[in-house]
């Protein structure tokens, strides 16, 4: 898919599973299970999906997934599987290698979004994208480096420590645009200062929903995650942006949906839901 002067590619970087109850908050299991079947440990299948934007001067990757730094114990808990889908293989598919990436846009610093920022090379922690600038919202950086008890398990310092040491982090304050042709939207319900890139031209717009709407099943207003730090705020933020998405027929990109790369949204007067899936790249 092409928007403006960017060619867009969907980059799947891992398969993994999280607890279905945690993924759907207050929604009763008989309802969410119809959308996302659970395994015998109540986990549902998900992916990490990045968006790659390519123009003449930039090769931008939005989020980097779970990455490869996992110990067996965690790999097992989250069923992280890099066998079929991984960053390297997905980049190769589009003729790219990690050293060609110019920018890494970090929506927020949770491990399943920035785990691929860094990697171990001969037991040494190194940046996965050695020539890239890594863009991070300052408020989210502050939270990630002094998280609350509720948050602590979602942040892993080795996803950014070596980037900080090498001066590769570019701090962003607020919504101001820092990459050409990309606007930013900010939300505060899931975590503090989650950034959502919006790519648009005169004919269409696409927004990267990150954890505001991680899967198509999360489009209806009350379908939100128990991971959110301010759940009522998340509902409000969905209520604010979904009417615009429906009215202007924006494409929304799903970072964690195992089936849909992206989609369009409809409103029947009562509920928001997926109108149709959209394929970003084959
Ligand atoms: Zn998150």
């Amino acid at each position: 898919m092409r928007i403006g002067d960017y060619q867009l590619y969907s980059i799947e970087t891992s398969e993994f599973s999280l607890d279905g109850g945690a993924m759907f908050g207050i929604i009763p299991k008989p309802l969410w299970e119809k959308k996302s079947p659970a395994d015998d440990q109540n986990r549902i299948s998900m992916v990490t999906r990045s968006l790659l934007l390519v123009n003449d001067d930039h090769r931008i990757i939005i989020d980097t997934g779970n990455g490869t730094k996992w110990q067996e114990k965690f790999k097992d808990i989250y069923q992280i599987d890099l066998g079929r889908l991984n960053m390297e293989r997905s980049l190769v598919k589009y003729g790219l290698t990690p050293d060609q990436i110019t920018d890494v846009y970090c929506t927020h610093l949770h491990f399943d979004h920035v785990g691929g920022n860094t990697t171990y090379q001969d037991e040494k922690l190194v940046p996965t994208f050695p020539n890239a600038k890594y863009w991070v919202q300052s408020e989210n950086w502050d939270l990630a480096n002094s998280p609350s008890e509720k948050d602590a398990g979602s942040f892993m310092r080795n996803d950014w420590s070596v980037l900080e040491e090498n001066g590769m982090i570019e701090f962003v304050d607020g919504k101001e645009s820092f990459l050409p042709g990309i606007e930013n939207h900010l939300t505060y319900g899931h975590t503090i200062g989650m950034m959502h890139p919006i790519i648009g031209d005169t004919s269409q717009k696409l927004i990267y929903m990150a954890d505001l709407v991680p899967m198509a099943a999360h489009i209806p207003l009350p379908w939100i995650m128990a991971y959110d730090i301010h759940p009522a705020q998340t509902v409000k933020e969905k209520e604010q942006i979904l009417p615009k998405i429906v009215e202007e027929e924006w494409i929304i990109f799903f970072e964690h949906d195992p089936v849909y790369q992206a989609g369009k949204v409809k409103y029947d007067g009562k509920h928001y839901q997926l109108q149709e899936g959209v394929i970003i790249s084959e």
Side-chain angles (χ1 to χ4, degrees):
M1 173 177 289
R2 194 170 186 86
I3 301 182
D5 68 348
Y6 287 109
Q7 193 67 40
L8 279 63
Y9 302 99
S10 172
I11 296 275
E12 276 90 27
T13 60
S14 72
E15 295 173 274
F16 76 126
S17 302
L18 289 176
D19 184 84
M23 281 305 290
F24 291 107
I26 58 159
I27 302 301
K29 186 171 178 183
L31 293 183
W32 62 253
E33 205 177 21
K34 284 186 206 153
K35 307 262 182 186
S36 288
D39 72 5
D40 59 358
Q41 292 186 55
N42 213 44
R43 295 175 296 200
I44 60 166
S45 295
M46 298 163 57
V47 299
T48 50
R49 181 178 294 108
S50 304
L51 178 61
L52 172 69
L53 304 172
V54 179
N55 72 5
D56 288 344
D57 316 310
H58 293 82
R59 286 162 297 280
I60 303 162
I61 192 142
I62 297 161
D63 279 358
T64 61
N66 280 308
T68 57
K69 301 188 297 293
W70 295 92
Q71 291 169 350
E72 283 309 314
K73 183 180 126 188
F74 288 98
K75 243 181 159 171
D76 197 48
I77 293 173
Y78 300 120
Q79 288 191 310
I80 297 170
D81 185 350
L82 305 169
R84 192 172 70 89
L85 305 175
N86 61 62
M87 172 72 78
E88 220 175 309
R89 190 177 294 171
S90 294
L91 286 177
V92 164
K93 195 170 151 190
Y94 301 116
L96 288 175
T97 52
D99 60 340
Q100 292 175 295
I101 299 297
T102 57
D103 301 88
V104 179
Y105 184 119
C106 305
T107 61
H108 63 302
L109 295 170
H110 284 164
F111 68 74
D112 53 325
H113 298 256
V114 293
N117 279 1
T118 60
T119 188
Y120 283 113
Q121 217 170 60
D122 305 323
E123 289 176 40
K124 197 177 161 236
L125 191 66
V126 295
T128 308
F129 307 97
N131 301 313
K133 290 177 177 163
Y134 288 73
W135 299 90
V136 175
Q137 181 71 217
S138 300
E139 285 176 305
N140 198 250
W141 171 266
D142 293 343
L143 176 73
N145 285 282
S146 50
S148 70
E149 281 297 316
K150 183 176 185 329
D151 275 335
S154 301
F155 294 114
M156 314 248 168
R157 209 169 275 264
N158 64 358
D159 290 338
W160 59 79
S161 54
V162 70
L163 306 176
E164 186 186 22
E165 284 156 30
N166 292 0
M168 295 169 78
I169 297 180
E170 299 284 330
F171 290 101
V172 180
D173 292 303
K175 294 200 297 190
E176 204 176 314
S177 173
F178 49 88
L179 288 165
I182 302 177
E183 291 169 51
N184 306 298
H185 178 70
L186 277 179
T187 58
Y188 290 84
H190 175 65
T191 184
I192 304 297
M194 180 161 65
M195 294 199 287
H196 307 265
I198 301 172
I199 303 108
D201 58 22
T202 47
S203 60
Q204 60 186 342
K205 270 195 177 178
L206 176 145
I207 180 167
Y208 191 94
M209 297 308 275
D211 280 343
L212 183 60
V213 178
M215 298 162 54
H218 292 92
I219 294 172
L221 294 176
W223 290 57
I224 61 171
M225 298 190 285
Y227 297 110
D228 292 0
I229 54 170
H230 301 300
Q233 175 82 13
T234 297
V235 175
K236 220 182 273 172
E237 288 168 343
K238 287 169 73 175
E239 229 168 352
Q240 279 163 0
I241 198 154
L242 282 169
K244 198 180 221 181
I245 286 171
V246 170
E247 201 183 302
E248 298 179 10
E249 296 179 41
W250 290 15
I251 296 165
I252 66 173
F253 190 92
F254 302 118
E255 190 159 9
H256 292 311
D257 197 290
V259 177
Y260 299 107
Q261 294 176 352
K264 291 209 172 172
V265 180
K266 65 179 175 189
Y267 182 63
D268 63 9
K270 249 180 149 180
H271 305 290
Y272 291 96
Q273 52 190 301
L274 184 71
Q275 179 178 41
E276 58 182 354
V278 172
I279 294 172
I280 303 297
S281 63
E282 295 290 345

